[in-house]
Amino acid sequence: MLGKKVEDALNAQMNREFYSSYLYLSMSVHFELNSLKGFAHWLRIQAKEELAHAMKFYDYMVQRGARPVLSQIDAPTGKWKTDIAIYEDAYKHEQKVTKYISELADLARAEVDHATEVFLQWFVNEQVEEEMNASDIVNKMKLAGDSSGAMFVIDSELGKRSK
Ligand SMILES: [Fe+2]
Ligand SMILES: [Fe+2]
């Protein structure tokens, strides 16, 4: 059985992952409408990945005999003036998620829940990748500056993302 504190924290993170999916999809819309289909595609795949993250928490809770409770998901409120602001927000968002994951890992350790600690290791590693991916795209956009040619190169690269 999961301890109550760990169970609640896992459940909260599951719902945050659903929110992440929502957030990335809302970011994708901006690029869809600005004919940067590669940027849009990358975010759409990311939205799917966040759903998969949520389901990892869901499945783990079920495995441990706990009930995943689906909460109301906030509407993403971001209104972005520039393309790069979106990916900067994505990067900030992932840094926040990393903080939540480490707090969860700290809690699992404090509660001496070894199984949950091991389960969370996957997310600890995943967050290293998530932060790197987002900051890498921000850096490329900075390098592109005002060059629409360079933006189209990045766009076609991001359009190749398969998972
Ligand atoms: Fe995630
Ligand atoms: Fe990822």
Side-chain angles (χ1 to χ4, degrees):
M1 276 289 283
L2 279 175
K4 178 79 176 124
K5 272 194 210 162
V6 171
E7 178 178 336
D8 288 350
L10 288 169
N11 200 83
Q13 188 56 35
M14 174 190 70
N15 283 304
R16 283 191 205 108
E17 300 286 350
F18 281 124
Y19 172 76
S20 292
S21 181
Y22 233 40
L23 175 67
Y24 283 120
L25 198 55
S26 78
M27 290 173 164
S28 183
V29 174
H30 168 96
F31 290 103
E32 293 282 7
L33 298 178
N34 285 301
S35 299
L36 286 167
K37 298 290 184 184
F39 283 93
H41 170 81
W42 192 94
L43 288 161
R44 187 188 285 223
I45 300 273
Q46 188 62 30
K48 259 199 213 166
E49 188 177 300
E50 297 302 340
L51 265 189
H53 291 172
M55 292 311 293
K56 272 184 192 282
F57 282 96
Y58 178 104
D59 287 335
Y60 178 70
M61 290 181 73
V62 169
Q63 276 177 349
R64 297 291 306 273
R67 175 186 297 272
V69 180
L70 303 181
S71 71
Q72 183 165 338
I73 303 170
D74 290 337
T77 53
K79 294 222 172 18
W80 299 278
K81 290 209 173 69
T82 60
D83 297 331
I84 196 168
I86 293 185
Y87 276 90
E88 279 168 345
D89 269 11
Y91 180 43
K92 274 187 225 145
H93 179 72
E94 288 306 330
Q95 288 175 307
K96 212 163 60 187
V97 174
T98 299
K99 207 174 136 261
Y100 283 128
I101 296 289
S102 13
E103 283 168 5
L104 244 178
D106 287 345
L107 177 68
R109 181 164 296 182
E111 298 290 311
V112 203
D113 183 340
H114 295 286
T116 299
E117 228 187 311
V118 170
F119 165 73
L120 290 169
Q121 286 314 300
W122 186 90
F123 283 94
V124 170
N125 291 325
E126 173 65 12
Q127 283 310 119
V128 173
E129 187 200 291
E130 299 289 51
E131 284 193 32
M132 182 195 70
N133 289 343
S135 95
D136 191 52
I137 295 170
V138 170
N139 288 338
K140 281 181 180 153
M141 291 171 93
K142 277 186 190 152
L143 288 171
D146 292 333
S147 157
S148 43
M151 277 296 278
F152 282 124
V153 172
I154 303 170
D155 189 64
S156 87
E157 189 195 313
L158 296 182
K160 292 187 190 122
R161 180 175 182 184
S162 61
K163 62 174 174 62

mmCIF file of all heavy atoms in Angstrom, residues 121-144:
data_model
loop_
_atom_site.group_PDB
_atom_site.id
_atom_site.type_symbol
_atom_site.label_atom_id
_atom_site.label_comp_id
_atom_site.label_asym_id
_atom_site.label_seq_id
_atom_site.Cartn_x
_atom_site.Cartn_y
_atom_site.Cartn_z
ATOM 1 N N GLN A 121 12.829 7.577 -10.539
ATOM 2 C CA GLN A 121 14.134 7.763 -11.180
ATOM 3 C C GLN A 121 13.985 7.988 -12.686
ATOM 4 O O GLN A 121 14.718 8.756 -13.290
ATOM 5 C CB GLN A 121 15.063 6.556 -10.924
ATOM 6 C CG GLN A 121 15.618 6.499 -9.508
ATOM 7 C CD GLN A 121 16.155 7.835 -9.027
ATOM 8 O OE1 GLN A 121 17.067 8.391 -9.634
ATOM 9 N NE2 GLN A 121 15.577 8.362 -7.954
ATOM 10 N N TRP A 122 13.034 7.296 -13.284
ATOM 11 C CA TRP A 122 12.792 7.474 -14.724
ATOM 12 C C TRP A 122 12.479 8.943 -15.024
ATOM 13 O O TRP A 122 12.976 9.528 -15.985
ATOM 14 C CB TRP A 122 11.642 6.575 -15.189
ATOM 15 C CG TRP A 122 11.445 6.621 -16.676
ATOM 16 C CD1 TRP A 122 12.024 5.821 -17.614
ATOM 17 C CD2 TRP A 122 10.614 7.565 -17.402
ATOM 18 N NE1 TRP A 122 11.615 6.200 -18.877
ATOM 19 C CE2 TRP A 122 10.758 7.258 -18.779
ATOM 20 C CE3 TRP A 122 9.778 8.621 -17.028
ATOM 21 C CZ2 TRP A 122 10.082 7.975 -19.784
ATOM 22 C CZ3 TRP A 122 9.120 9.339 -18.027
ATOM 23 C CH2 TRP A 122 9.283 9.004 -19.386
ATOM 24 N N PHE A 123 11.660 9.545 -14.160
ATOM 25 C CA PHE A 123 11.272 10.944 -14.377
ATOM 26 C C PHE A 123 12.433 11.902 -14.102
ATOM 27 O O PHE A 123 12.540 12.936 -14.743
ATOM 28 C CB PHE A 123 10.056 11.295 -13.503
ATOM 29 C CG PHE A 123 8.770 10.755 -14.063
ATOM 30 C CD1 PHE A 123 8.274 9.524 -13.649
ATOM 31 C CD2 PHE A 123 8.062 11.455 -15.028
ATOM 32 C CE1 PHE A 123 7.099 9.004 -14.180
ATOM 33 C CE2 PHE A 123 6.887 10.955 -15.568
ATOM 34 C CZ PHE A 123 6.409 9.719 -15.145
ATOM 35 N N VAL A 124 13.269 11.539 -13.137
ATOM 36 C CA VAL A 124 14.445 12.376 -12.855
ATOM 37 C C VAL A 124 15.296 12.468 -14.122
ATOM 38 O O VAL A 124 15.692 13.564 -14.553
ATOM 39 C CB VAL A 124 15.266 11.802 -11.674
ATOM 40 C CG1 VAL A 124 16.606 12.529 -11.535
ATOM 41 C CG2 VAL A 124 14.467 11.885 -10.371
ATOM 42 N N ASN A 125 15.546 11.336 -14.758
ATOM 43 C CA ASN A 125 16.328 11.313 -16.004
ATOM 44 C C ASN A 125 15.599 12.010 -17.141
ATOM 45 O O ASN A 125 16.193 12.745 -17.921
ATOM 46 C CB ASN A 125 16.639 9.872 -16.425
ATOM 47 C CG ASN A 125 17.614 9.212 -15.472
ATOM 48 O OD1 ASN A 125 18.507 9.864 -14.942
ATOM 49 N ND2 ASN A 125 17.431 7.927 -15.247
ATOM 50 N N GLU A 126 14.303 11.762 -17.228
ATOM 51 C CA GLU A 126 13.499 12.355 -18.291
ATOM 52 C C GLU A 126 13.561 13.886 -18.225
ATOM 53 O O GLU A 126 13.635 14.554 -19.258
ATOM 54 C CB GLU A 126 12.048 11.857 -18.172
ATOM 55 C CG GLU A 126 11.044 12.520 -19.103
ATOM 56 C CD GLU A 126 11.284 12.253 -20.579
ATOM 57 O OE1 GLU A 126 12.102 11.358 -20.904
ATOM 58 O OE2 GLU A 126 10.668 12.951 -21.403
ATOM 59 N N GLN A 127 13.566 14.423 -17.014
ATOM 60 C CA GLN A 127 13.584 15.886 -16.882
ATOM 61 C C GLN A 127 14.896 16.489 -17.372
ATOM 62 O O GLN A 127 14.915 17.620 -17.859
ATOM 63 C CB GLN A 127 13.288 16.313 -15.439
ATOM 64 C CG GLN A 127 11.808 16.213 -15.070
ATOM 65 C CD GLN A 127 10.899 16.874 -16.090
ATOM 66 O OE1 GLN A 127 10.061 16.221 -16.695
ATOM 67 N NE2 GLN A 127 11.067 18.169 -16.332
ATOM 68 N N VAL A 128 15.983 15.736 -17.265
ATOM 69 C CA VAL A 128 17.254 16.228 -17.800
ATOM 70 C C VAL A 128 17.095 16.412 -19.309
ATOM 71 O O VAL A 128 17.472 17.442 -19.881
ATOM 72 C CB VAL A 128 18.407 15.235 -17.493
ATOM 73 C CG1 VAL A 128 19.694 15.662 -18.192
ATOM 74 C CG2 VAL A 128 18.618 15.113 -15.988
ATOM 75 N N GLU A 129 16.479 15.420 -19.949
ATOM 76 C CA GLU A 129 16.251 15.481 -21.394
ATOM 77 C C GLU A 129 15.282 16.614 -21.751
ATOM 78 O O GLU A 129 15.515 17.376 -22.704
ATOM 79 C CB GLU A 129 15.694 14.134 -21.858
ATOM 80 C CG GLU A 129 15.560 14.007 -23.359
ATOM 81 C CD GLU A 129 14.573 12.909 -23.723
ATOM 82 O OE1 GLU A 129 14.890 11.722 -23.490
ATOM 83 O OE2 GLU A 129 13.482 13.238 -24.221
ATOM 84 N N GLU A 130 14.194 16.714 -20.990
ATOM 85 C CA GLU A 130 13.174 17.726 -21.288
ATOM 86 C C GLU A 130 13.756 19.140 -21.230
ATOM 87 O O GLU A 130 13.483 19.967 -22.106
ATOM 88 C CB GLU A 130 11.999 17.624 -20.313
ATOM 89 C CG GLU A 130 11.248 16.310 -20.340
ATOM 90 C CD GLU A 130 10.423 16.086 -21.584
ATOM 91 O OE1 GLU A 130 10.966 16.238 -22.702
ATOM 92 O OE2 GLU A 130 9.243 15.767 -21.450
ATOM 93 N N GLU A 131 14.545 19.401 -20.194
ATOM 94 C CA GLU A 131 15.142 20.736 -20.069
ATOM 95 C C GLU A 131 16.124 20.994 -21.207
ATOM 96 O O GLU A 131 16.156 22.086 -21.779
ATOM 97 C CB GLU A 131 15.851 20.887 -18.719
ATOM 98 C CG GLU A 131 14.906 21.089 -17.572
ATOM 99 C CD GLU A 131 15.624 21.551 -16.312
ATOM 100 O OE1 GLU A 131 16.635 22.268 -16.411
ATOM 101 O OE2 GLU A 131 15.168 21.179 -15.209
ATOM 102 N N MET A 132 16.912 19.981 -21.530
ATOM 103 C CA MET A 132 17.894 20.144 -22.597
ATOM 104 C C MET A 132 17.201 20.418 -23.942
ATOM 105 O O MET A 132 17.594 21.336 -24.669
ATOM 106 C CB MET A 132 18.774 18.894 -22.711
ATOM 107 C CG MET A 132 19.851 19.009 -23.773
ATOM 108 S SD MET A 132 20.584 17.413 -24.186
ATOM 109 C CE MET A 132 19.227 16.618 -25.062
ATOM 110 N N ASN A 133 16.160 19.649 -24.246
ATOM 111 C CA ASN A 133 15.458 19.827 -25.524
ATOM 112 C C ASN A 133 14.896 21.242 -25.657
ATOM 113 O O ASN A 133 15.078 21.894 -26.687
ATOM 114 C CB ASN A 133 14.300 18.832 -25.653
ATOM 115 C CG ASN A 133 14.785 17.419 -25.867
ATOM 116 O OD1 ASN A 133 15.943 17.191 -26.235
ATOM 117 N ND2 ASN A 133 13.913 16.444 -25.615
ATOM 118 N N ALA A 134 14.208 21.692 -24.602
ATOM 119 C CA ALA A 134 13.579 23.013 -24.675
ATOM 120 C C ALA A 134 14.639 24.109 -24.775
ATOM 121 O O ALA A 134 14.533 25.020 -25.611
ATOM 122 C CB ALA A 134 12.677 23.240 -23.456
ATOM 123 N N SER A 135 15.694 24.016 -23.976
ATOM 124 C CA SER A 135 16.700 25.092 -24.002
ATOM 125 C C SER A 135 17.473 25.067 -25.316
ATOM 126 O O SER A 135 17.872 26.108 -25.839
ATOM 127 C CB SER A 135 17.614 25.020 -22.777
ATOM 128 O OG SER A 135 18.785 24.313 -23.043
ATOM 129 N N ASP A 136 17.645 23.891 -25.884
ATOM 130 C CA ASP A 136 18.315 23.771 -27.184
ATOM 131 C C ASP A 136 17.526 24.508 -28.284
ATOM 132 O O ASP A 136 18.101 25.216 -29.114
ATOM 133 C CB ASP A 136 18.430 22.275 -27.516
ATOM 134 C CG ASP A 136 19.347 22.027 -28.701
ATOM 135 O OD1 ASP A 136 20.476 22.538 -28.662
ATOM 136 O OD2 ASP A 136 18.917 21.326 -29.646
ATOM 137 N N ILE A 137 16.209 24.349 -28.250
ATOM 138 C CA ILE A 137 15.376 25.015 -29.270
ATOM 139 C C ILE A 137 15.405 26.532 -29.056
ATOM 140 O O ILE A 137 15.515 27.302 -30.013
ATOM 141 C CB ILE A 137 13.935 24.451 -29.260
ATOM 142 C CG1 ILE A 137 13.968 22.974 -29.673
ATOM 143 C CG2 ILE A 137 13.028 25.245 -30.203
ATOM 144 C CD1 ILE A 137 12.658 22.227 -29.472
ATOM 145 N N VAL A 138 15.331 26.973 -27.794
ATOM 146 C CA VAL A 138 15.428 28.408 -27.505
ATOM 147 C C VAL A 138 16.742 28.959 -28.053
ATOM 148 O O VAL A 138 16.765 30.006 -28.716
ATOM 149 C CB VAL A 138 15.321 28.684 -25.978
ATOM 150 C CG1 VAL A 138 15.677 30.140 -25.668
ATOM 151 C CG2 VAL A 138 13.923 28.360 -25.475
ATOM 152 N N ASN A 139 17.838 28.254 -27.802
ATOM 153 C CA ASN A 139 19.145 28.730 -28.282
ATOM 154 C C ASN A 139 19.190 28.827 -29.799
ATOM 155 O O ASN A 139 19.724 29.788 -30.357
ATOM 156 C CB ASN A 139 20.265 27.806 -27.794
ATOM 157 C CG ASN A 139 20.507 27.970 -26.306
ATOM 158 O OD1 ASN A 139 20.157 29.002 -25.727
ATOM 159 N ND2 ASN A 139 21.084 26.961 -25.674
ATOM 160 N N LYS A 140 18.626 27.826 -30.461
ATOM 161 C CA LYS A 140 18.612 27.862 -31.928
ATOM 162 C C LYS A 140 17.799 29.050 -32.432
ATOM 163 O O LYS A 140 18.179 29.708 -33.404
ATOM 164 C CB LYS A 140 18.033 26.561 -32.485
ATOM 165 C CG LYS A 140 19.037 25.428 -32.462
ATOM 166 C CD LYS A 140 18.439 24.173 -33.047
ATOM 167 C CE LYS A 140 19.475 23.045 -33.018
ATOM 168 N NZ LYS A 140 18.843 21.736 -32.948
ATOM 169 N N MET A 141 16.666 29.312 -31.781
ATOM 170 C CA MET A 141 15.832 30.443 -32.196
ATOM 171 C C MET A 141 16.574 31.751 -31.979
ATOM 172 O O MET A 141 16.457 32.680 -32.775
ATOM 173 C CB MET A 141 14.489 30.430 -31.446
ATOM 174 C CG MET A 141 13.587 29.274 -31.870
ATOM 175 S SD MET A 141 12.124 29.127 -30.811
ATOM 176 C CE MET A 141 10.934 30.108 -31.750
ATOM 177 N N LYS A 142 17.356 31.829 -30.904
ATOM 178 C CA LYS A 142 18.168 33.027 -30.656
ATOM 179 C C LYS A 142 19.188 33.204 -31.765
ATOM 180 O O LYS A 142 19.403 34.310 -32.258
ATOM 181 C CB LYS A 142 18.884 32.913 -29.314
ATOM 182 C CG LYS A 142 18.017 33.312 -28.143
ATOM 183 C CD LYS A 142 18.829 33.332 -26.848
ATOM 184 C CE LYS A 142 17.918 33.500 -25.642
ATOM 185 N NZ LYS A 142 18.486 32.884 -24.436
ATOM 186 N N LEU A 143 19.814 32.102 -32.151
ATOM 187 C CA LEU A 143 20.805 32.164 -33.224
ATOM 188 C C LEU A 143 20.161 32.603 -34.533
ATOM 189 O O LEU A 143 20.749 33.337 -35.320
ATOM 190 C CB LEU A 143 21.478 30.800 -33.417
ATOM 191 C CG LEU A 143 22.461 30.364 -32.317
ATOM 192 C CD1 LEU A 143 22.886 28.916 -32.509
ATOM 193 C CD2 LEU A 143 23.685 31.281 -32.305
ATOM 194 N N ALA A 144 18.931 32.146 -34.767
ATOM 195 C CA ALA A 144 18.233 32.491 -36.002
ATOM 196 C C ALA A 144 17.928 34.000 -36.037
ATOM 197 O O ALA A 144 17.916 34.610 -37.111
ATOM 198 C CB ALA A 144 16.945 31.687 -36.120
#
